[in-house]
Amino acid sequence: MTATPKTNLLALDRPDLERWFTERGEKAFRASQLMQWLYGRGVVDFAAMSNIGKALQAELSGWAEVRLPEVAADRLSDDGSRKWLFRLADGNCIETVFIPEEERGTLCVSSQVGCMLNCSFCSTARQGFNRNLSTGEIVAQLWMATQLLGRRPDAGRRISNVVMMGMGEPLLNYGNVVRAMHIMLDDFGYGLSKRRITLSTAGVVPAIRQLRADCDVSLAVSLHASSDALRDELVPLNRKYPIRELLDACREYAGEGRRRVTFEYVLLADVNDTDSHARALARCLEGVPAKVNLIPFNPFPQTRYRRSTDGRILRFFEILNRAGIVTITRRTRGDDIEAACGQLAGRFRDRTRRRERSQSVNQVL
Ligand code: SAH
């Protein structure tokens, strides 16, 4: 007889964990107690959980475990960003990036090993798609980073914000990502507010609609073009969900409260960065509660794209600004350690070859 595999506690949100305890004849309140140890204090050793009796501690170690990745690499950028390569139980590796700022510390979390969307300017796409991350593997990135940063109390050195902007398309791993975000939001989990979690998507329209009902965190959309012809080329998912449908879903997401959706726009020299592109973008976003986040392109080996000049970026910014659109230019962080947007590559055990990958892209489309 094979033993039942142990439950990975990081994979359960509070309702799951309450059910898990009651199924074992224990009181539901054990769930919040256990979560406070795991997330509030970073304690994973059942024997150290002093408000849990010895008998239950022993049972817990028979039933459950906390599955954490190994640190395969830990790199610090000159600008203070820090990137970890985490090795998962199956040998696949994923990347997680911490970006300290004066007023906040942001953790950029991965949702998949690789990505199947094949955006032409993104280096993760080059790696192909391997698999979805489990809820536990998503939450473990936050757990590990919190420990590795040393639970510092000072603002900007601890994690105050999470962005689901690492490797992968979070809305194509919907259930696991939403459950992980519930743990991040829970008062007994990481206690983050909805404003402080941002999910970034290339535009999986039905999932954006669903997200509003399930977990309405801040939404960011990787737009990068305001015409379907150009966006089809940059973000192939656009062929399935074109700009109009995408913006309808964004308007709905913003809702009555008119909570702004952030539109990410990577500036690619001579591709999408001219004055007329800027004006077209402003027109395209009319009537959408929008903020625009301009991202200077981060090059990677063998890319055909180039970063726009500083002058171009400024001019693009000014046109949007003058059109009344709240715009920020994202400072490039961590590019000396390949931790900047679009540079996360991880390291996979079984890379899908190009041919297989194009099949997986076609499945999505
Ligand atoms: N799949 C999701 C999550 C990844 S987020 C999404 O598309 O939104 C990663 C962000 O970095 C996206 O806005 C993406 O478009 C941007 N990005 C990708 N490659 C980049 C590059 N080479 N330079 C700058 N930004 C890039």
Side-chain angles (χ1 to χ4, degrees):
M1 210 178 78
T2 52
T4 328
K6 290 185 183 183
T7 304
N8 179 12
L9 294 172
L10 300 186
L12 306 182
D13 63 14
R14 188 140 51 98
D16 289 341
L17 198 54
E18 286 173 352
R19 217 171 304 123
W20 188 85
F21 272 112
T22 49
E23 278 165 13
R24 284 162 179 73
E26 299 294 332
K27 294 275 195 302
F29 77 85
R30 294 294 184 192
S32 37
Q33 259 181 349
L34 187 64
M35 286 179 75
Q36 271 173 319
W37 285 108
L38 294 179
Y39 305 114
R41 306 201 199 177
V43 171
V44 295
D45 175 8
F46 301 125
M49 300 180 179
S50 52
N51 57 1
I52 294 178
K54 287 272 174 275
L56 182 52
Q57 285 177 1
E59 287 192 302
L60 274 173
S61 40
W63 296 328
E65 63 186 346
V66 175
R67 234 169 277 150
L68 296 166
E70 280 170 38
V71 181
D74 181 342
R75 297 177 71 190
L76 188 62
S77 159
D78 293 339
D79 68 18
S81 318
R82 191 162 162 189
K83 178 171 88 166
W84 295 283
L85 184 69
F86 291 129
R87 187 178 302 109
L88 307 172
D90 67 355
N92 276 307
C93 289
I94 51 164
E95 295 187 322
T96 308
V97 182
F98 176 67
I99 307 142
E101 288 171 291
E102 206 107 301
E103 297 296 323
R104 60 183 175 195
T106 302
L107 192 72
C108 180
V109 169
S110 293
S111 59
Q112 298 181 312
V113 183
C115 188
M116 54 172 79
L117 290 183
N118 218 8
C119 298
S120 58
F121 53 85
C122 180
S123 88
T124 302
R126 296 283 167 104
Q127 312 289 312
F129 174 72
N130 186 286
R131 66 173 176 86
N132 280 333
L133 294 183
S134 66
T135 302
E137 288 167 336
I138 298 168
V139 172
Q141 296 172 62
L142 185 45
W143 195 94
M144 292 292 290
T146 306
Q147 296 306 309
L148 291 161
L149 290 169
R151 300 192 156 260
R152 310 167 91 115
D154 43 330
R157 296 302 317 183
R158 62 178 173 82
I159 300 164
S160 59
N161 293 59
V162 167
V163 292
M164 298 302 304
M165 286 188 195
M167 294 164 63
E169 168 49 54
L171 294 185
L172 291 180
N173 182 15
Y174 188 84
N176 292 341
V177 165
V178 167
R179 200 176 309 107
M181 293 194 303
H182 281 147
I183 295 170
M184 297 175 195
L185 291 165
D186 198 298
D187 284 343
F188 295 102
Y190 287 98
L192 294 175
S193 77
K194 284 177 184 174
R195 281 183 307 111
R196 291 184 176 277
I197 299 182
T198 301
L199 181 143
S200 179
T201 178
V204 187
V205 166
I208 292 176
R209 297 223 154 88
Q210 187 63 41
L211 188 67
R212 188 167 182 240
D214 293 342
C215 194
D216 61 335
V217 293
S218 302
L219 182 69
V221 170
S222 294
L223 192 61
H224 311 314
S226 53
S227 78
D228 282 322
L230 181 56
R231 193 164 191 270
D232 282 352
E233 195 185 300
L234 300 178
V235 184
L237 183 67
N238 194 67
R239 293 177 214 150
K240 180 148 190 182
Y241 304 114
I243 293 173
R244 248 195 44 170
E245 283 178 37
L246 176 57
L247 294 183
D248 282 347
C250 292
R251 234 177 265 118
E252 267 172 45
Y253 197 92
E256 293 304 310
R258 314 297 280 164
R259 213 156 47 119
R260 287 203 178 98
V261 173
T262 301
F263 291 92
E264 293 154 289
Y265 195 101
V266 176
L267 286 164
L268 307 167
D270 304 324
V271 173
N272 67 354
D273 71 340
T274 66
D275 287 6
S276 71
H277 287 121
R279 287 192 291 268
L281 177 61
R283 274 196 305 277
C284 167
L285 293 178
E286 255 168 46
V288 183
K291 269 189 297 212
V292 171
N293 199 336
L294 297 176
I295 313 173
F297 172 63
N298 293 309
F300 49 89
Q302 277 146 29
T303 178
R304 62 186 136 121
Y305 298 113
R306 284 168 303 119
R307 179 180 291 192
S308 308
T309 61
D310 289 349
R312 229 349 44 235
I313 296 174
L314 186 61
R315 176 92 185 124
F316 202 96
F317 172 87
E318 282 169 355
I319 293 173
L320 292 177
N321 227 359
R322 233 177 296 128
I325 296 179
V326 180
T327 306
I328 61 158
T329 306
R330 192 183 287 174
R331 236 177 348 133
T332 296
R333 300 289 302 264
D335 54 345
D336 54 335
I337 54 167
E338 284 89 44
C341 304
Q343 293 185 321
L344 302 187
R347 203 189 294 149
F348 314 156
R349 168 163 271 181
D350 306 299
R351 289 188 189 178
T352 41
R353 276 171 307 236
R354 262 195 163 269
R355 190 169 41 80
E356 292 164 37
R357 185 180 75 219
S358 61
Q359 280 166 358
S360 63
V361 172
N362 290 337
Q363 280 160 15
V364 178
L365 297 177

